[in-house]
Amino acid sequence: MKRDFKDCVAVVTGGGSGIGLAVVKEFAIRGYYVYSLCRRAKNGQITKLNSGTIEERTCDVTDENSIKNALAGIDRIDVLIHLAGSGICGSAEATK
């Protein structure tokens, strides 16, 4: 049985490259409207891929205001995939 995802919305952080980009493309190929959130996005760029759509939005997942701005106007999220991250270097005692 083939499922129709044309009315489904996915949000992917880290969607600008690597595994995140591959996930964004796969969801779009399956018909999702995908919000690709990444630090170096072409903010507002929309790309059609098969029956799906990819909308890029700039987002730094380490900044709460950036996250709020990136999610503004998104009424519904059916799938959320968090692939972006940040690292902290140092000893366990020095990090909080």
Side-chain angles (χ1 to χ4, degrees), residues 59-74:
C59 183
D60 178 351
V61 298
T62 65
D63 182 312
E64 186 176 345
N65 285 326
S66 180
I67 296 167
K68 287 178 182 179
N69 290 335
L71 296 176
I74 300 175

Side-chain angles (χ1 to χ4, degrees), residues 7-70:
D7 294 323
C8 293
V9 176
V11 173
V12 181
T13 66
S17 63
I19 294 170
L21 180 57
V23 169
V24 165
K25 288 179 177 178
E26 186 62 32
F27 272 80
I29 287 169
R30 294 175 185 262
Y32 281 80
Y33 192 102
V34 184
Y35 292 94
S36 175
L37 310 184
C38 51
R39 288 181 292 163
R40 292 179 282 281
K42 296 177 185 102
N43 209 24
Q45 179 173 320
I46 296 177
T47 305
K48 292 285 190 184
L49 188 58
N50 288 1
S51 60
T53 303
I54 301 168
E55 180 176 333
E56 292 186 35
R57 292 191 176 193
T58 303
C59 183
D60 178 351
V61 298
T62 65
D63 182 312
E64 186 176 345
N65 285 326
S66 180
I67 296 167
K68 287 178 182 179
N69 290 335

